[in-house]
Each structure stands twice: as C-alpha cells, then as structure tokens.
Amino acid sequence: MQDVYIKVWNRADRFDAGRASPITWLCAIARNTAIDWCRSSRRPGMAPEEAAAEVADAAPLADMVIERDQHSARMFACLDELEARQRVAIRSAFLDGLTYAQLADRMAVPLGTMKSWIRRGLQQLRTCIGDG
C-alpha cells in the first residue's frame, strides 16, 4: 500500500480526469503495483484452490467443540448443585490435584470422612449428568 501511495503522489500530475475517474486511476496503479510485486518476489506458484482440501487441520470439528462445551457446562452446573463441602473437596481433588489425605488435613476431618464425601458427591454428579 505504501508503494501505491508513493506512486500516486509522484504521478499526481499525470492524472487526466477526461480518461478515468480518480478511483479507477488509483485502482489501476494499485493493481499494476501488486502485479509488479508478485513478479519481482520470485515466489513459487500458488497451489490450486482444490489443494486446500488436502491440508490437515488439527482443530476439532465445530460439533465436537459444541458438544465438549455443553458437557463442561453441564458438569459445572451439576457441581454447583452439590453441598459446599463436597463441591470443594471434588474440585480440589480433581481440578487442583490434591490427595484425599491433603484434603482431610486441610478441612480438618478424618480421611474416611473425606473419602465418603467425595464418593457420595461423585455418585450425585453421575446421577445429575445422566439426567441431562
């Protein structure tokens, strides 16, 4: 674009309103500058448009993304339905990576109690997600 503006500035005295409109003159300069740039850059030829179908795309398909997002939303909605102590324990264990023993110490409860809270919470999550 900068080259086009410089050419327009340097050739402004050559513009003839009788031959073309200003936009037509500007477009012709831009087109010719682009063609000159392509020729001078010695780039390899462009592949045909059909070759784009053969390019691998590692991104998941849109329907898979939507399904994953819906599943995540359902999971967090179900987590929010749990009792506060179960919700905190499950999030800490499965999202933060804490062990049951660490959670029991942190929440000042026996290890067996912590295991029971998490087990019952996971059962409630399974039921909640299964209903959705």
Side-chain angles (χ1 to χ4, degrees):
M1 283 302 292
Q2 183 177 0
D3 290 341
V4 172
Y5 285 128
I6 291 171
K7 285 181 182 180
V8 167
W9 180 261
N10 291 331
R11 297 177 185 174
D13 61 331
R14 297 184 199 170
F15 172 68
D16 182 7
R19 293 183 63 194
S21 69
I23 193 69
T24 303
W25 182 68
L26 178 65
C27 288
I29 292 173
R31 179 182 178 278
N32 291 337
T33 302
I35 290 170
D36 290 345
W37 179 80
C38 287
R39 288 179 181 160
S40 69
S41 63
R42 305 275 182 212
R43 295 172 182 234
M46 299 281 289
E49 188 175 326
E50 295 79 27
E54 297 175 18
V55 175
D57 185 4
L61 298 175
D63 60 336
M64 306 219 24
V65 171
I66 292 169
E67 184 178 332
R68 182 191 65 214
D69 291 348
Q70 288 174 341
H71 181 72
S72 294
R74 181 72 181 151
M75 173 67 74
F76 284 108
C78 288
L79 266 172
D80 290 340
E81 292 179 14
L82 296 176
E83 289 181 35
R85 62 186 184 189
Q86 289 175 326
R87 180 175 50 250
V88 169
I90 289 174
R91 283 181 186 252
S92 296
F94 294 99
L95 300 179
D96 298 334
L98 297 178
T99 66
Y100 290 2
Q102 291 170 327
L103 286 168
D105 288 342
R106 179 181 283 185
M107 298 177 83
V109 296
L111 180 60
T113 302
M114 180 56 61
K115 289 179 179 181
S116 295
W117 286 356
I118 291 176
R119 187 182 70 248
R120 283 193 304 266
L122 290 175
Q123 288 170 342
Q124 289 173 339
L125 278 177
R126 187 177 300 125
T127 300
C128 179
I129 292 170
D131 291 343

